[in-house]
């Protein structure tokens, strides 16, 4: 018994002295080795990180008060150049590493992924290359990994992810390859997940639906294929789902329930998604931005689309959508951008659109089959900056008041229709007008 206590005390003393020794030796050495590889001329660390003061007082260094070990190295936005020294992996108490907005190049030292206490690694916006230390995807403590805006070009770790504390994984604007592994579902605390602007391929794994705290999911501009897993529509915490610029296919949404009652932004443009806009889109009650342009969406715009009462931006251009323009659109008073160009819409432009008092941009260009007069009320929406109705079968006269109530109008495109009568002189009151297209119509009278 006494022997055991003696051994325990001995062990404690050994550990204690090791910790003291390392505090003065290893951390200082590691920091100086890091500083040695910084090549920016006259960087002020050269005068600040000097041996005549404790490294705990050096700029950007935070130590634990008890052990005097480095717990944070925070040097963002300092124009630092050079490579990141592998010696940082010797800062065994490091919890926060922030080198954001510098000009470090080269690889991310592999050993950083093994720092047992690491919680934040933020080296975004540098010039890093190579791959991400795989151990970061299997780290039991790490909460924030932000390596966006670099030149990382390795394959993203496709082995099992196990990152139970990970909240932010931001890898956007790199050149990462590989797939999103099904084990992404293990990172159940993930809130922000961005892989946008990379070269990730394969399917979006259905296990992504296990990320029940996900708020921002952004996979824009990759090489993703297959259909959008229906499990995504179960993540009720999502505020923003952006999957544009991929090669995703399959039908748009489920006809079963959608549980995205917090979703504010849904962007799926520039894919090959087919099917219709489901009428249960009304369940997206918080939606502000809906972008499904440049896909293969068929069918009509649901008559009840006006149910999206918070919508600000509506982009459905470049699809084979048919049918008429729903009058209920006129009920969305928040609508600023309405882009329905290059579809196969037909029938008249509903006068109800004149109620859209916050409308800024209106585009029904190249729908080819819109007919009837342009409702006068549209020319009274004083917020309008852009009107494009080119290449339709719109007829009749332009209301004589045109221009009177369009003080912000920059572009008016009406070419390629069947409009007639005189060009209203009042159009000159739209004093900010920069572009005016009236060609190929049946206008008469004098030019203005
Ligand atoms: C280094 O910078 C820190 C923070 O600005 C300052 O408190 C410290 O006195 C500086 N040390 C030296 C040696 O200049
Ligand atoms: C620390 O040493 C450097 C030279 O290594 C000297 O320039 C600086 O003035 C010294 N700072 C203090 C606070 O003594
Ligand atoms: C290093 O050890 C010396 C002597 O024990 C002590 O005075 C000094 O404060 C220590 N430095 C740091 C950074 O802990
Ligand atoms: C990094 O740069 C971005 C863009 O210039 C800026 O918005 C951000 O505040 C900077 N971050 C820090 C920590 O300085
Ligand atoms: C880490 O520290 C040990 C002991 O001081 C040293 O031998 C080794 O070279 C250091 N590693 C790096 C990558 O600096
Ligand atoms: C991010 O990538 C996109 C697409 O390649 C590019 O347009 C954008 O300028 C990039 N942003 C930055 C800050 O590098
Ligand atoms: C991680 O996910 C994979 C695949 O979904 C699973 O097989 C594995 O058991 C998970 N690992 C842990 C530690 O949860
Ligand atoms: C998540 O991303 C959003 C949008 O980019 C940003 O506003 C928010 O601050 C991020 N949250 C965290 C915890 O980084
Ligand atoms: C993760 O998702 C898969 C497929 O959606 C599911 O079968 C599995 O039960 C989920 N795992 C957990 C831990 O929720
Ligand atoms: C979505 O959630 C509902 C209700 O919890 C559940 O019945 C359904 O199986 C889930 N669907 C997917 C694809 O995970
Ligand atoms: C578009 O969808 C239709 C059926 O909805 C299909 O027949 C056609 O092949 C699709 N076109 C493309 C280019 O994917
Ligand atoms: C527009 O809103 C009004 C008032 O809330 C309602 O009576 C009307 O039915 C709505 N129109 C359409 C087409 O949804």
């Amino acid at each position: 018994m006494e022997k055991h206590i003696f051994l325990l005390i001995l062990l404690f003393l050994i550990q204690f002295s090791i910790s003291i020794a390392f505090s003065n030796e290893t951390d200082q050495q590691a920091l100086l080795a890091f500083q040695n590889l910084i090549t920016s001329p006259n960087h002020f660390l050269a005068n600040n990180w000097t041996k005549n003061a404790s490294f705990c007082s050096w700029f950007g260094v935070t130590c634990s008060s008890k052990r005097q070990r480095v717990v944070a190295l925070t040097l963002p936005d300092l124009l630092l150049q050079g490579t990141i020294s592998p010696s940082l992996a010797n800062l065994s108490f490091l919890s926060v590493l922030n080198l954001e907005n510098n000009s470090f190049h080269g690889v991310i030292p592999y050993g950083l992924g093994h720092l047992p206490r690491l919680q934040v690694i933020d080296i975004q916006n540098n010039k890093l290359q190579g791959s991400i230390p795989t151990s970061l995807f299997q780290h039991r403590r790490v909460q924030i990994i932000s390596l966006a805006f670099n030149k990382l070009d390795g394959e993203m770790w496709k082995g099992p992810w196990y990152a139970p504390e990970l909240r932010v994984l931001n890898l956007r604007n790199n050149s990462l390859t590989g797939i999103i592994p099904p084990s992404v579902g293990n990172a159940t605390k993930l809130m922000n997940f961005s892989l946008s602007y990379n070269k990730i391929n394969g399917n979006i794994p259905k296990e992504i639906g296990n990320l029940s705290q996900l708020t921002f999911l952004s996979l824009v501009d990759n090489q993703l294929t297959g259909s959008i897993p229906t499990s995504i529509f179960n993540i009720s915490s999502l505020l923003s789902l952006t999957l544009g610029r991929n090669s995703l296919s399959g039908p748009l949404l489920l006809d079963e329930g959608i549980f995205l009652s917090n979703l504010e932004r849904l962007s799926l443009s520039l894919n090959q998604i087919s099917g219709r806009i489901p009428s249960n889109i009304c369940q997206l009650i918080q939606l502000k931005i809906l972008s499904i342009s440049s896909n293969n969406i068929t069918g009509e715009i649901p008559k009840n689309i006006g149910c999206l009462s918070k919508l600000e931006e509506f982009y459905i251009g470049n699809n084979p959508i048919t049918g008429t323009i729903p009058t209920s659109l006129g009920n969305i008073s928040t609508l600023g951008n309405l882009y329905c160009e290059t579809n196969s819409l037909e029938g008249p432009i509903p006068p109800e659109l004149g109620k859209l008092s916050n409308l800024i941009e209106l585009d029904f260009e190249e729908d080819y089959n819109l007919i009837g007069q342009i409702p006068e009320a549209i020319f009274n929406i004083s917020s309008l900056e852009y009107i494009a109705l080119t290449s339709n079968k719109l007829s009749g006269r332009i209301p004589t008041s045109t221009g009177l109530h369009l003080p912000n109008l920059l572009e008016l495109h009406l070419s390629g229709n069947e409009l007639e009568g005189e060009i209203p002189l009042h159009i000159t009151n739209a004093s900010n007008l920069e572009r005016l297209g009236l060609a190929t119509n049946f206008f008469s009278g004098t030019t203005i």
Side-chain angles (χ1 to χ4, degrees):
M1 192 67 191
E2 275 177 18
K3 208 170 151 191
H4 282 161
I5 292 174
F6 173 76
L7 273 176
L8 272 178
I9 291 175
L10 191 68
L11 266 176
F12 175 79
L13 285 176
I14 290 173
Q15 271 206 328
F16 186 72
S17 45
I18 286 177
S19 131
I20 289 278
F22 273 152
S23 128
N24 260 328
E25 309 268 325
T26 320
D27 282 10
Q28 177 172 293
Q29 267 174 30
L31 290 172
L32 288 174
F34 168 75
Q35 186 200 9
N36 260 338
L37 294 185
I38 297 176
T39 57
S40 26
N42 304 323
H43 66 87
F44 72 94
L45 295 187
N47 299 322
N48 186 283
W49 285 28
T50 60
K51 282 184 180 170
N52 52 13
S54 158
F55 60 82
C56 292
S57 72
W58 291 355
F59 182 84
V61 176
T62 307
C63 288
S64 54
S65 52
K66 211 168 55 180
R67 297 180 207 248
Q68 296 286 295
R69 303 294 307 264
V70 178
V71 292
L73 182 58
T74 314
L75 298 168
D77 232 350
L78 293 170
L79 304 170
L80 299 176
Q81 295 169 15
T83 55
I84 300 174
S85 169
S87 68
L88 290 187
N90 265 354
L91 297 173
S92 47
F93 284 75
L94 195 68
S95 146
V96 174
L97 177 63
N98 182 350
L99 303 175
E100 182 182 329
N101 295 355
N102 282 293
S103 294
F104 285 108
H105 65 271
V107 299
I108 303 172
Y110 197 82
L112 293 183
H114 290 299
L115 284 170
R117 291 164 194 252
L118 195 66
Q119 289 181 10
V120 177
I121 176 166
D122 178 354
I123 321 184
Q124 68 174 4
N125 202 13
N126 280 275
K127 299 181 170 72
L128 303 171
Q129 282 171 301
S131 47
I132 302 168
T134 53
S135 40
L136 283 176
F137 295 106
Q138 298 185 311
H139 200 292
R140 291 193 309 127
R141 290 225 176 119
V142 81
Q143 293 179 15
I144 298 179
I145 301 176
S146 190
L147 304 172
F149 305 111
N150 278 296
K151 299 193 171 77
L152 298 170
D153 53 7
E155 188 174 357
M156 200 170 65
W157 173 236
K158 67 176 171 221
W161 289 22
Y162 180 66
E165 297 299 325
L166 192 60
R167 283 153 175 79
V168 176
L169 179 58
N170 187 359
L171 304 176
R172 61 171 291 162
N173 278 62
N174 281 287
S175 298
L176 295 164
T177 59
I179 60 161
I180 306 174
S183 58
V184 68
N186 289 340
T188 50
K189 289 192 181 159
L190 207 51
M191 294 170 68
N192 277 16
F193 183 21
S194 177
L195 294 176
S196 289
Y197 304 102
N198 277 288
K199 295 174 180 163
I200 306 292
N201 58 35
N203 293 354
I204 303 175
K206 63 180 184 311
E207 286 78 4
I208 212 157
N210 287 356
L211 305 180
S212 60
Q213 304 193 21
L214 206 56
T215 319
F216 294 87
L217 176 60
S218 170
L219 305 175
V220 176
D221 204 333
N222 279 286
Q223 295 157 11
L224 297 166
T225 51
S227 52
I228 302 170
T230 53
S231 60
I232 279 191
F233 303 118
N234 262 8
I235 309 176
S236 56
S237 52
L238 272 177
L239 291 181
S240 173
L241 176 59
T242 52
L243 309 175
R245 285 183 189 273
N246 280 290
S247 298
L248 297 166
S249 54
L252 175 58
L253 295 176
L254 275 186
D255 284 334
E256 341 166 347
I258 306 171
F259 300 94
L260 302 175
S261 54
N262 294 303
L263 197 70
E264 294 180 1
R265 175 192 288 257
L266 176 61
S267 180
L268 307 173
S269 54
L270 290 151
N271 280 290
Q272 283 120 45
I273 294 166
S274 57
R276 300 162 165 265
I277 306 175
S279 60
N280 67 0
I281 199 161
C282 285
Q283 292 172 23
L284 306 180
I285 51 174
Q286 299 294 339
L287 203 62
K288 290 182 179 161
I289 301 175
L290 175 61
S291 177
I292 52 172
S293 51
S294 300
N295 276 290
N296 188 17
I297 311 278
T298 51
E300 307 195 353
I301 307 173
K303 291 282 171 275
N304 62 345
I305 194 76
C307 61
L308 298 175
S309 61
K310 297 190 173 171
L311 205 62
E312 294 168 10
E313 300 176 31
F314 185 58
Y315 305 98
I316 62 165
N318 281 297
N319 280 294
I321 294 174
T322 52
T324 56
I325 304 170
T327 54
S328 74
L329 270 176
N331 271 4
I332 310 177
S333 58
T334 46
L335 204 57
N337 293 7
L338 178 54
Y339 276 82
C340 305
E341 81 285 6
T342 324
N343 276 291
S344 298
L345 297 171
E346 60 187 27
I349 299 177
E352 283 82 357
L353 295 194
K355 292 192 293 177
L356 296 172
S357 57
N358 290 302
L359 200 62
I360 298 169
E361 301 184 353
L362 172 71
D363 192 346
F364 285 100
E365 198 166 282
E366 292 183 5
D367 273 306
Y368 298 110
N369 288 311
L370 295 181
I371 56 170
Q373 263 192 296
I374 305 171
E376 179 159 5
I378 285 184
F379 292 108
N380 286 336
I381 304 175
S382 59
S383 51
L384 269 171
E385 295 176 10
Y386 180 85
I387 303 175
L389 302 171
T390 311
S391 299
N392 278 292
K393 296 195 173 68
L394 298 165
S395 58
R397 294 165 177 269
I398 303 181
T400 50
S401 61
T402 297
L404 272 182
H405 308 290
L406 295 169
N408 296 306
L409 195 66
L410 299 170
E411 300 192 28
L412 176 60
H413 299 279
L414 302 174
S415 299
N417 279 290
E418 296 165 13
L419 298 165
E420 60 184 32
E422 296 200 7
I423 296 164
L425 278 175
H426 286 311
I427 217 158
T428 55
N429 285 1
S431 56
N432 285 310
L433 198 64
E434 290 169 0
R435 282 157 189 251
L436 176 63
L438 301 171
T440 327
N441 276 292
F442 303 133
F443 289 122
S444 56
T446 50
T447 50
I448 48 173

